[in-house]
Amino acid sequence: MKKAYFLAIALCFSTPALAQSLPERTGVNSMMGIAPKTDDFIQSVSWSDLFEIQSSQMALSDPSLKTFASRMIAEHQKTSAELKQLLSVNNMAATPPASVDDTHKRKLDTLHGLHGDGFVRQYRKDQISAHEDALSLFRRYAKSGENEALKKWAGDTIPTLEEHLKMAESLSE
């Protein structure tokens, strides 16, 4: 019993040192509609953008995906640049990650191993899921985020993400 108690205490104190807070990483915040902490928001947005860009670069070779993939690359590069600009202008110390997290890395690895219809199906599925997740993240932060400039930007970005989701849903399977 003592070991379990000390383990629980250690986990509580180690959580801030983790790359992303436990409630955001496990999806508890999303299920409860709670806004992520600002650092979690920045990380999640960055990882999402990087995944969108890298997966869409793979999709450029498929004619049925080329138009959508090109747009995702351009618009997520724009979102990444806007986020970096906001951080700079508002003197925020946060630095967006330069590479995807393990979850997105596994998704990229899966896509890399697929070809033809299998790739198209998985890419479509990943795009729908990624945009649903992004919409949840942006809506929660726009409603109750900690930083006013990021809240406004999140709110202003929601219509674009909604359009991306509709486009992803309309991709052929």
Side-chain angles (χ1 to χ4, degrees), residues 5-18 22:
Y5 175 74
F6 286 117
L7 180 61
I9 296 294
L11 181 59
C12 288
F13 285 108
S14 68
T15 299
L18 298 175
L22 191 60

Side-chain angles (χ1 to χ4, degrees), residues 18-136:
L18 298 175
Q20 189 177 39
S21 70
L22 191 60
E24 194 62 32
R25 194 167 12 103
T26 59
V28 170
N29 282 355
S30 181
M31 288 186 322
M32 296 180 68
I34 298 170
K37 294 187 179 300
T38 298
D39 287 344
D40 288 344
F41 178 72
I42 293 165
Q43 280 189 326
S44 295
V45 169
S46 299
W47 286 331
S48 178
D49 278 348
L50 288 167
F51 174 74
E52 292 291 333
I53 293 164
Q54 292 174 25
S55 64
S56 293
Q57 287 169 336
M58 286 188 238
L60 287 173
S61 61
D62 187 294
S64 70
L65 301 173
K66 188 172 184 166
T67 301
F68 175 81
S70 295
R71 184 162 175 190
M72 292 305 101
I73 293 166
E75 292 191 9
H76 286 279
Q77 286 173 335
K78 178 183 174 215
T79 304
S80 292
E82 289 171 352
L83 177 61
K84 288 176 186 171
Q85 179 69 18
L86 272 171
L87 296 176
S88 175
V89 167
N90 289 285
N91 297 318
M92 296 180 71
T95 303
S99 59
V100 295
D101 60 328
D102 289 342
T103 300
H104 288 98
K105 174 79 170 100
R106 283 190 296 275
K107 289 180 181 186
L108 289 169
D109 289 344
T110 297
L111 280 174
H112 189 68
L114 297 173
H115 304 284
D117 291 343
F119 178 88
V120 171
R121 276 191 301 279
Q122 188 62 49
Y123 177 76
R124 179 183 185 273
K125 179 181 170 189
D126 287 347
Q127 290 300 308
I128 291 169
S129 175
H131 285 96
E132 288 171 343
D133 292 347
L135 274 167
S136 169

